Amino acid sequence: MTDDALQRGGDWLSQGGLRPTRQRVALAALLVGDGDHRHVTAESLFAAVKKTGEKVSLATVYNTLRAFCDAGLMQEVTVDGSKSYFDTKTHDHPHFFWEEDGRLTDAPADQLQIARLPDAPEGAEIASVDVVIRLRRR
C-alpha cells in the first residue's frame, strides 16, 4: 500500500472518530485509499488484505466493517437476507445486484422514482429505504 493510501485511510477513520489502529488503517486504505468508492463483502476485503501481507483475521474484518458502519463511514446493503455488502458511499442510493457474479454496483439514482411509500405503523418512522435491483444477463 502506498503512503498516500494509508494517509487517506487514516484521515477517513478520523472523520468517523475511530482510533487508527494498524489493522483499521490497513483496511481503510484498501477501501478508500485511491479515492474511489467500494462495494465489498467481508470475505472480499479479507482476501484483499491478505494479499498485502497484513495479518488480519476474518473475524477482525467483520468487526471492523461493523465499526465503520456504526461510525457512519459505510453502509451495509443486505442482499437475500443473508449476504451483506458494505458500501463506502453513505448517502441513500439504489444498487444493482448482478446475480451471475454476485456483484453490487451503484444504480443511477436520478432515474429512480418512488411515487409513494406506505405509512409507517403507529409509533414507528421510516429510517431509510433500500433499493436493490436484481439483474441477470439475457
Side-chain angles (χ1 to χ4, degrees), residues 3 7-8 14 21-23 25 41 46 53 66 76 90-92 99 109 111 116 118 120 123 125 131 134-135 138:
D3 288 341
Q7 180 64 48
R8 273 194 213 94
S14 294
T21 65
R22 178 183 52 80
Q23 293 173 326
V25 171
T41 62
F46 177 65
R66 176 68 41 229
E76 183 175 7
T90 56
H91 66 277
D92 288 337
E99 291 183 334
Q111 295 177 15
R116 183 179 163 157
E125 67 180 5
V131 178
R134 302 171 75 70
L135 302 174
R138 290 189 237 192

Side-chain angles (χ1 to χ4, degrees), residues 15-89:
Q15 291 172 17
L18 293 174
R19 192 168 51 90
T21 65
R22 178 183 52 80
Q23 293 173 326
R24 283 180 180 169
V25 171
L27 294 171
L30 288 169
L31 290 167
V32 299
D34 62 2
D36 290 338
H37 288 282
R38 299 274 183 287
H39 297 97
V40 300
T41 62
E43 293 80 7
S44 70
L45 185 58
F46 177 65
V49 76
K50 274 180 58 175
K51 288 179 184 175
T52 70
E54 186 70 37
K55 302 284 187 226
V56 179
S57 71
L58 181 58
T60 296
V61 172
Y62 272 104
N63 291 336
T64 301
L65 286 169
R66 176 68 41 229
F68 290 171
C69 289
D70 290 347
L73 296 172
M74 300 187 84
Q75 66 173 324
E76 183 175 7
V77 179
T78 304
V79 177
D80 287 337
S82 60
K83 182 112 176 158
S84 287
Y85 291 79
F86 297 87
D87 188 353
T88 56
K89 273 190 191 172

Side-chain angles (χ1 to χ4, degrees), residues 93-94 109-118 128-132:
H93 62 282
D110 61 338
Q111 295 177 15
L112 178 67
Q113 293 181 12
I114 298 176
R116 183 179 163 157
L117 294 174
S128 68
V129 176
D130 297 326
V131 178
V132 177

